[in-house]
Amino acid sequence: MRILGLILFCLMLPGAARADTMATSAGPVRVDEILTGLHTPWAIAFLPDGSYLVTERAGALLHVRDGRARRVTGVPQVAAIGQGGLLDVMVPRDFATSREVFLTYSRARPGGAGTALAVGRLSKDGAALSNVRILFEAAPGARGGRHFGSRVIEAADGRLFVTLGERGDRPSAQDRSTHNGSIVRINRDGSVPQDNPFAGEAGARPEIWSYGHRNPQGAALDRTGALWAVEHGAQGGDEVNRIRRGVNYGWPVIAYGRHYSGARIGEGTAKPGMAQPDFYWDPSIAPSGLMIYSGRLWPDWAGQFFVGSLKFDMISRLAGDPLREEERIAGAATARVRDVAEAPDGSIWVVSEGRGAVYRLTPMR
Amino acid sequence: MRILGLILFCLMLPGAARADTMATSAGPVRVDEILTGLHTPWAIAFLPDGSYLVTERAGALLHVRDGRARRVTGVPQVAAIGQGGLLDVMVPRDFATSREVFLTYSRARPGGAGTALAVGRLSKDGAALSNVRILFEAAPGARGGRHFGSRVIEAADGRLFVTLGERGDRPSAQDRSTHNGSIVRINRDGSVPQDNPFAGEAGARPEIWSYGHRNPQGAALDRTGALWAVEHGAQGGDEVNRIRRGVNYGWPVIAYGRHYSGARIGEGTAKPGMAQPDFYWDPSIAPSGLMIYSGRLWPDWAGQFFVGSLKFDMISRLAGDPLREEERIAGAATARVRDVAEAPDGSIWVVSEGRGAVYRLTPMR
C-alpha cells in the first residue's frame, strides 16, 4: 500500500497550474486542472478541511490533500464488471465529528452482483477507512454488468437515498419485490423508516421509495430539500425527475424515445398512475452526475441544474419551470463528464472520465 | 328565522323509516332514507354528538338531530349563481372543544365572485353560527357561474386544503398569479405556511399547493394522511389525482378526452413536468364527493375510493394500484350523488341531489 501510495503520489503531482477558459452565458469561466492521471474516475466529495475524495471505478478511493492523492485503505472489495465497481462517495454533514464516509459499489453475491451501500470511518490523516459496515444491498442482484446506478444522498432529515438501476432486467423495474430500478430510502443505521411507502405491503421490498427507473446515475437535493434524479433512459428519453414518495416513474411501460434496438417502448409515452419526467433529452446525452447550484459564485445560476454528459462531452445546464435546457457548457475539461459537484467555496468541480482528471471552474476576475 | 325553522321542521320530518336494499360486490346493502325535502343539497358532515350538518347550495346550513332539521343562523351570505352557492361543510377533529365549523361558498366580490372559506362557532344547540370569519378568498374571482370547486380538508397536521375550480377561465389554471384551478393550503388561522411551494415566488399566490386543475369537487385524505382529489375534466377526462406539493396537474395544456365542443385539448394527454392522473373516467361520470373508506363495517373496502357521480346516478368504487374502477353501486339512493361520506360508526352516507335526500348505507344482517 505504501508503495502504491507513492506511485500514485508521483503520477498525480500537480503540474504547473494549468489554467484554461471556457465560454458560458455567465461570461468566461476559469478552468483549473486540479488532478490528473485518474483511471475511470466516478465521483467526488469534499471534506471540511479542504481535502477531497475521488472514486475510481476499478475500486480505488483516493484522498487528495494539497494536490497529493493517496489511495485510502480499507475500502470494500468491489465487483468491477461492466458499469459496476466503486461508484459514489458521499461525505455527510456531520463528518467533522462522525468521520463517516459513505460509498456505493457493486458487490458480488450469489447469482451475480448488486449495488451496495457501505459506511466507514476515515482516519484523521485520510489514509484509512475502518469500521466498514454494509448498510444496504440491492436484491436479488443479477449477472451482467449493466445499470447499477448509483448515487447516495443525505436527505435534510439525515436519512439516506440510494439510486439503483434495473440491472438490464427491464420488467424488474416495475416489480416491487426487487430493488432493481428503484430509489431506496433507509435510516442512517440501515434500518427501514416506518413511513416508507411500501413498508407495509406484503412481498414488497420495504426500502423502496420510488420505482420504475432505468438507470439513475445522478441525484441531488434542491434548495427546498426536495430530491431530484437524472437517469439514462431509452434512446431519446434520458430523464430528469423530481423524486416523490411511492411514485412509479414508468420504465419500461412508458418512456420517451425508443429502445436502442429501435423497437417501440411498452405502451407509449404516458399512462395514468405513472409519472411524467420533469425534462427529457432527445437525443440522449447519457447523463451522469447532477449538481444543483447554490449561487455562491454565479448568483444567476442559483437553483439551476448542472448535469454531466458522458456522450456529448459537456455539462447541460437546466433552469426554469418547466425545466428546459438553457446551455451546454463545453471545453477540454468536459470530456465524458462523470460527475459535477459544488465545492464549499461555490466553485464547480468536474470529474472527466475522458481526461482521467478533475477540473475546478471559477468565474474569471 | 323561527318561522323558517318551523317550516323546515315540518317539511323534513322523518316519515316511517323507509328501508331499501342495494346489491353490491360485498353483498346486499341496507339503504335507509334519513332525510328528505332538501333543495340541491351539497355536502354533509358529522358532529360528535350524533347530529350532523348538511348544506343546501342556495345558502342554507341545516343542523339535523334525531331526524329533525333546523336551519342554522349566522351563515355568511352566498352568491348563489350557477354552480356557486353554499358548498362544503367540514367539522374539524377538535370540534368537541373548539365548536368550529368550516364552510366553503361563492362570495360576491368586485368583478364577480370567488370561492371563500369561512369558519364560525356552532352554538351548543346547533342553532347558530357565531364569530364567523373569512379565512381565505380566491382571487381574482370571475363573473359567470362555472367551476367554483370546492372542498375543504383538514390535513393530519391541522392545516387546511381548499380545492378551487378555474371559474371557466381555462388559461388561469396554469397562472400561479391567480387561485383559479388550484388547491390551496393555509394555516388554521388563514395565514400562509412558510413551506408552501410558491410562497417565495414573486407574483405567485402563496396559498397555492398544486395547480392546473379544472374543477375539483371531491377531496379526501387516505389512511396515510395523503391528500387525493377528484375533478371534473374534459369530456372523457374526469380525473383522480394524488395531490402533491407544487405539482402542475396540466389543465388545460394536457388532459384525457376532448373539450365538450369536440375540440382537441391543448397539447395532448401528456407533457413533461405535468402530472398524469392516477385514474380517469371515460366516459366522464361528473364526479362529486370523494370518500376513502376506513373498513369499519365493510373490511374488504378498507382504503378504497367511493366517488359520487352526478351524471350516471351511482357511486364509483375504485381500488388497487394502479387505481381501477371495480364497481358502480347504484339504486334509488344514488340519483345525482353530490356527496359521499363515512359516519363515525362506519356507515356510508349518500347525499342525493336528484332525490333531495340523505341516505345511510349499512351491511344487511
Side-chain angles (χ1 to χ4, degrees):
Chain A
M1 272 301 154
R2 276 191 190 161
I3 293 168
L4 185 63
L6 195 65
I7 293 170
L8 285 165
F9 170 69
C10 295
L11 286 175
M12 292 185 249
L13 271 178
R18 289 180 52 184
D20 199 353
T21 62
M22 259 187 332
T24 76
S25 61
V29 160
R30 177 187 162 111
V31 181
D32 287 288
E33 191 178 80
I34 297 293
L35 188 67
T36 59
L38 298 169
H39 299 286
T40 321
W42 215 92
I44 189 167
F46 300 93
L47 299 171
D49 67 357
S51 66
Y52 60 95
L53 298 166
V54 176
T55 58
E56 290 183 329
R57 200 175 63 201
L61 175 66
L62 305 174
H63 178 240
V64 191
R65 191 197 304 273
D66 301 329
R68 176 167 171 263
R70 286 175 60 177
R71 184 166 177 167
V72 179
T73 64
V75 171
Q77 180 76 29
V78 307
I81 46 169
Q83 298 166 3
L86 183 58
L87 304 173
D88 204 18
V89 54
M90 186 272 284
V91 173
R93 290 185 292 273
D94 69 357
F95 174 84
T97 52
S98 73
R99 303 287 307 175
E100 287 190 333
V101 169
F102 294 81
L103 298 169
T104 67
Y105 61 104
S106 54
R107 180 168 191 266
R109 49 178 290 142
T115 307
L117 172 70
V119 63
R121 283 178 66 90
L122 188 68
S123 59
K124 277 274 163 64
D125 60 1
L129 213 57
S130 61
N131 294 325
V132 175
R133 310 185 312 280
I134 294 175
L135 296 178
F136 168 80
E137 190 169 0
R143 299 191 189 283
R146 298 177 64 209
H147 303 178
F148 288 92
S150 61
R151 297 285 170 183
V152 51
I153 297 290
E154 182 187 24
D157 65 2
R159 294 202 170 91
L160 303 174
F161 290 107
V162 182
T163 72
L164 302 169
E166 37 71 307
R167 300 304 326 286
D169 177 10
R170 290 174 193 154
S172 69
Q174 289 292 319
D175 179 355
R176 296 199 291 257
S177 75
T178 83
H179 292 119
N180 295 4
S182 73
I183 296 178
V184 296
R185 175 178 181 250
I186 58 173
N187 293 318
R188 183 136 164 189
D189 63 1
S191 63
V192 175
Q194 290 197 336
D195 60 343
N196 269 11
F198 308 111
E201 181 179 290
R205 298 277 177 182
E207 298 89 355
I208 296 176
W209 182 255
S210 65
Y211 64 106
H213 299 285
R214 186 171 175 275
N215 193 22
Q217 291 204 314
L221 302 180
D222 70 17
R223 291 176 296 177
T224 73
L227 180 66
W228 293 77
V230 297
E231 69 179 67
H232 298 274
Q235 188 172 30
D238 290 345
E239 295 184 353
V240 181
N241 288 298
R242 176 159 171 182
I243 302 303
R244 298 173 189 272
R245 179 181 184 281
V247 166
N248 179 351
Y249 287 86
W251 178 258
V253 180
I254 58 165
Y256 286 87
R258 286 180 169 262
H259 288 303
Y260 279 90
S261 67
R264 285 189 63 97
I265 293 166
E267 302 180 15
T269 57
K271 186 170 180 171
M274 296 185 182
Q276 285 288 299
D278 286 279
F279 178 80
Y280 69 96
W281 289 272
D282 181 12
S284 298
I285 67 164
S288 54
L290 165 66
M291 179 272 285
I292 302 177
Y293 189 61
S294 72
R296 194 161 286 128
L297 296 184
W298 289 274
D300 289 351
W301 289 346
Q304 300 191 1
F305 290 45
F306 292 76
V307 183
S309 167
L310 293 162
K311 185 170 170 191
F312 291 132
D313 296 342
M314 55 91 186
I315 296 167
S316 173
R317 180 170 65 79
L318 310 178
D321 179 13
L323 279 177
R324 59 182 183 279
E325 185 175 54
E326 294 211 329
E327 183 178 12
R328 295 186 163 195
I329 299 171
T334 59
R336 208 172 152 77
V337 176
R338 182 48 90 172
D339 201 7
V340 187
E342 179 177 349
D345 66 0
S347 59
I348 296 175
W349 291 48
V350 180
V351 176
S352 162
E353 186 181 313
R355 289 275 180 149
V358 172
Y359 298 91
R360 181 184 63 209
L361 314 187
T362 48
M364 288 290 282
R365 298 294 168 192
Chain B
M1 272 302 154
R2 275 190 191 165
I3 293 168
L4 186 63
L6 195 65
I7 293 170
L8 284 164
F9 170 69
C10 295
L11 285 174
M12 292 184 249
L13 271 177
R18 289 181 50 185
D20 198 353
T21 62
M22 252 182 343
T24 77
S25 61
V29 160
R30 176 188 164 113
V31 181
D32 286 289
E33 190 178 79
I34 297 293
L35 189 67
T36 59
L38 299 169
H39 299 285
T40 322
W42 214 92
I44 189 167
F46 300 94
L47 299 171
D49 66 358
S51 66
Y52 60 95
L53 298 167
V54 176
T55 59
E56 290 183 327
R57 201 175 62 200
L61 176 66
L62 306 174
H63 178 240
V64 190
R65 191 198 303 273
D66 300 330
R68 176 167 171 263
R70 286 175 60 177
R71 184 167 176 166
V72 179
T73 63
V75 171
Q77 181 75 30
V78 307
I81 47 170
Q83 299 166 2
L86 184 58
L87 304 172
D88 204 18
V89 54
M90 186 271 284
V91 173
R93 290 185 292 273
D94 69 358
F95 174 84
T97 52
S98 73
R99 302 289 307 177
E100 288 191 332
V101 169
F102 294 81
L103 299 169
T104 67
Y105 62 105
S106 54
R107 179 169 191 264
R109 49 177 290 142
T115 307
L117 172 69
V119 64
R121 283 176 66 89
L122 188 68
S123 59
K124 278 275 162 64
D125 61 1
L129 213 56
S130 61
N131 294 326
V132 175
R133 311 185 310 281
I134 294 175
L135 296 178
F136 169 79
E137 190 169 1
R143 299 192 189 283
R146 297 177 64 209
H147 302 178
F148 287 92
S150 60
R151 296 286 170 184
V152 50
I153 298 289
E154 182 186 26
D157 65 3
R159 295 202 169 92
L160 304 173
F161 290 107
V162 182
T163 72
L164 302 169
E166 38 72 306
R167 302 303 327 286
D169 177 11
R170 289 175 193 154
S172 69
Q174 288 292 319
D175 180 354
R176 297 199 291 256
S177 75
T178 83
H179 292 118
N180 295 4
S182 74
I183 295 178
V184 297
R185 174 178 180 251
I186 58 173
N187 294 318
R188 183 137 165 188
D189 64 1
S191 63
V192 175
Q194 289 197 337
D195 60 343
N196 269 11
F198 309 110
E201 181 179 290
R205 299 278 177 181
E207 298 88 355
I208 296 175
W209 181 255
S210 65
Y211 64 106
H213 299 284
R214 187 171 176 275
N215 193 24
Q217 291 204 315
L221 302 180
D222 70 16
R223 290 176 297 177
T224 72
L227 179 66
W228 293 77
V230 297
E231 70 180 66
H232 298 273
Q235 188 172 30
D238 290 346
E239 297 184 352
V240 181
N241 288 298
R242 176 159 170 180
I243 302 303
R244 298 173 189 273
R245 179 181 185 278
V247 166
N248 179 350
Y249 287 85
W251 179 258
V253 180
I254 58 166
Y256 286 87
R258 287 181 167 263
H259 288 303
Y260 279 90
S261 67
R264 284 188 63 97
I265 293 166
E267 303 180 15
T269 57
K271 187 171 180 171
M274 296 184 182
Q276 286 289 300
D278 286 279
F279 178 80
Y280 70 95
W281 289 271
D282 181 12
S284 298
I285 68 164
S288 54
L290 165 66
M291 180 272 286
I292 302 178
Y293 189 61
S294 72
R296 195 160 287 129
L297 295 184
W298 289 275
D300 289 351
W301 288 346
Q304 301 191 0
F305 290 45
F306 292 76
V307 183
S309 167
L310 293 163
K311 186 171 169 189
F312 291 131
D313 297 340
M314 56 90 187
I315 295 166
S316 173
R317 181 170 65 80
L318 309 178
D321 178 12
L323 278 178
R324 60 181 184 278
E325 185 175 54
E326 294 212 329
E327 183 177 12
R328 295 187 164 194
I329 299 170
T334 59
R336 208 172 152 76
V337 177
R338 181 49 89 172
D339 202 7
V340 187
E342 179 178 349
D345 66 0
S347 59
I348 296 175
W349 290 47
V350 180
V351 176
S352 162
E353 187 182 313
R355 290 275 180 148
V358 172
Y359 299 91
R360 181 184 63 209
L361 314 186
T362 48
M364 287 291 281
R365 298 295 169 192

